[in-house]
Amino acid sequence: MTGSTKRWTNSPVAIFWVVTMLAFVLRLLHILAISDPAINPAFHEPVTDAGVHHRWAQGLLNGTWPLAEPYFRAPLYPYFLARLYAIFGPDNPLAVQVVHALVSALGAGLAALSALQLWSVRAAWCAGFIFATLWSSIYFAGELLATSLSVTLNLWLLWLILGSPSARRILLCGLVLGLSAITRPTVLVITPMILWHLWQLDALGRAPSGRMSRIPGWIWLGLGLALTIGPVTVRNIVHGGEPVLIAASGGVNFYIGNNEHADGRVAFLPGAPPAWQGEMSDAMALAAQETGQPMGALDTDRYFWRQGMQFWRNHPRQAWQLEARKIWLLLAANERSNNKNLAFWRDRSSLLRWPVWPGWA
């Protein structure tokens, strides 16, 4: 290998763009294949969660969504989708999915850069190529789901955390963490680890220097979170009438996964109508029906949280068996989705049916 070639292969810019372009081409080929209505009618008529996002995004454009209640799901993805519809039109799903492919491909490049920060150039190329060719990532790039956006935001956050510390970078960490949280709030569980990392940098004498560094890192992180999560909380208070941080669905989701009918795989709220589409108002109506008194979003969420805890108290053996099944499903080699049978749809993709792509195992 010549010196110039070696410098090129060692360049973070080259690694990022080669991996990103490879990932984008693979995702684009998959999307073009499944855009054929004969193969995938759901591409033009989204179903399950994708259908909900499609309806909410259209509602944002025509003013019928969100309703005058706190968000039931984190709102960033429906707003992101609505912006794409405003640009390309809701009747142009191919253009919308091409943007999803680009967002997912950027995640591959960020995975490579993160591996470069952690280990070496060889690790960067390996991580980037594995992510670029990961069949589940390619598949989800063709769905109207928050998966690609959420994963790419998390990888962007990881790359920022691993880089040279500076006040601006820590502020950007907070902004990206906040964006990820209003896409999928569960990411906030890693906030204590980020704070510990900032404390470790300070203890090792690697804290940022300069005028902005006079303010502790945790304040910059908190400011970034406040700037992104704050508007969602304010909207929930002003228009929803209740102080909900991001979304009032934690207790409902806990009960969905912890009840006598749960199997660790299918996500369904016991007692809800079969056509339930994840609306907060439906959950509130069900809680009011079961308790005999009207409930707001927070009271509804707490009610279903208590129902899930009651299942653990009354049926501990069944609850632990259910937990063991969830762990087994998580660690098993096959991808499982509550939305679609992934194996079936993978077989319908002329690209993904090739048995060469890395998967969860």
Side-chain angles (χ1 to χ4, degrees):
M1 181 183 297
T2 65
S4 59
T5 303
K6 187 173 183 179
R7 283 194 301 272
W8 186 85
T9 58
N10 290 351
S11 166
V13 174
I15 293 171
F16 176 81
W17 284 113
V18 169
V19 167
T20 297
M21 291 310 298
L22 171 65
F24 178 68
V25 168
L26 291 175
R27 283 149 182 76
L28 184 59
L29 290 174
H30 167 67
I31 289 168
L32 290 173
I34 65 166
S35 64
D36 183 352
I39 298 175
N40 180 17
F43 189 81
H44 293 271
E45 296 292 336
V47 297
T48 56
D49 282 4
V52 172
H53 293 149
H54 176 69
R55 178 163 53 84
W56 286 352
Q58 289 182 311
L60 276 166
L61 295 181
N62 60 36
T64 60
W65 191 88
L67 304 176
E69 60 190 25
Y71 291 118
F72 183 69
R73 298 188 190 184
L76 183 59
Y77 180 73
Y79 279 88
F80 169 74
L81 187 58
R83 178 50 51 194
L84 295 182
Y85 284 171
I87 296 171
F88 301 110
D91 298 323
N92 190 3
L94 183 59
V96 170
Q97 293 297 171
V98 168
V99 177
H100 281 67
L102 179 59
V103 170
S104 179
L106 290 171
L110 290 165
L113 293 183
S114 297
L116 181 64
Q117 297 273 24
L118 280 168
W119 297 296
S120 66
V121 170
R122 183 179 297 177
W125 285 112
C126 288
F129 284 144
I130 289 173
F131 194 103
T133 58
L134 187 69
W135 81 258
S136 53
S137 178
I138 298 172
Y139 168 83
F140 280 112
E143 294 287 310
L144 295 184
L145 300 174
T147 307
S148 295
L149 179 60
S150 175
V151 170
T152 296
L153 285 171
N154 290 341
L155 286 164
W156 187 12
L157 174 64
L158 177 62
W159 175 70
L160 287 169
I161 292 170
L162 294 173
S164 300
S166 70
R168 289 185 180 86
R169 198 177 188 101
I170 296 170
L171 174 62
L172 188 54
C173 280
L175 292 170
V176 175
L177 177 59
L179 290 174
S180 182
I182 60 176
T183 306
R184 280 189 170 172
T186 47
V187 73
L188 289 175
V189 73
I190 70 170
T191 305
M193 288 177 269
I194 297 176
L195 292 172
W196 178 82
H197 177 68
L198 294 175
W199 178 82
Q200 284 288 94
L201 291 177
D202 186 59
L204 294 172
R206 294 179 55 202
S209 58
R211 176 182 294 181
M212 293 178 66
S213 67
R214 296 172 186 173
I215 300 175
W218 64 268
I219 292 182
W220 290 116
L221 185 75
L223 177 61
L225 285 169
L227 289 173
T228 45
I229 296 176
V232 177
T233 306
V234 170
R235 183 267 159 201
N236 284 334
I237 295 172
V238 174
H239 297 288
E242 297 187 67
V244 174
L245 183 65
I246 298 174
S249 57
V252 176
N253 284 327
F254 179 73
Y255 180 54
I256 285 173
N258 295 273
N259 64 77
E260 294 182 54
H261 307 288
D263 63 1
R265 179 181 176 188
V266 177
F268 183 74
L269 179 63
W276 183 55
Q277 295 292 303
E279 296 288 1
M280 186 74 243
S281 54
D282 293 333
M284 291 163 61
L286 178 60
Q289 176 185 332
E290 294 183 358
T291 61
Q293 56 186 8
M295 287 191 176
L298 279 178
D299 287 338
T300 295
D301 207 43
R302 290 166 182 159
Y303 167 74
F304 284 114
W305 166 262
R306 291 193 296 270
Q307 291 294 97
M309 292 303 296
Q310 185 176 344
F311 166 72
W312 273 85
R313 287 192 297 270
N314 296 343
H315 306 280
R317 181 184 178 87
Q318 183 181 351
W320 280 113
Q321 289 175 337
L322 178 61
E323 195 68 19
R325 174 170 170 77
K326 291 175 185 175
I327 294 172
W328 181 84
L329 289 171
L330 175 66
L331 299 179
N334 292 329
E335 291 281 342
R336 292 171 173 83
S337 171
N338 189 60
N339 280 272
K340 293 180 179 178
N341 183 321
L342 298 192
F344 171 82
W345 288 101
R346 183 184 184 186
D347 287 341
R348 294 179 74 84
S349 169
S350 55
L351 178 76
L352 295 186
R353 69 164 63 108
W354 301 349
V356 297
W357 312 112
W360 173 243

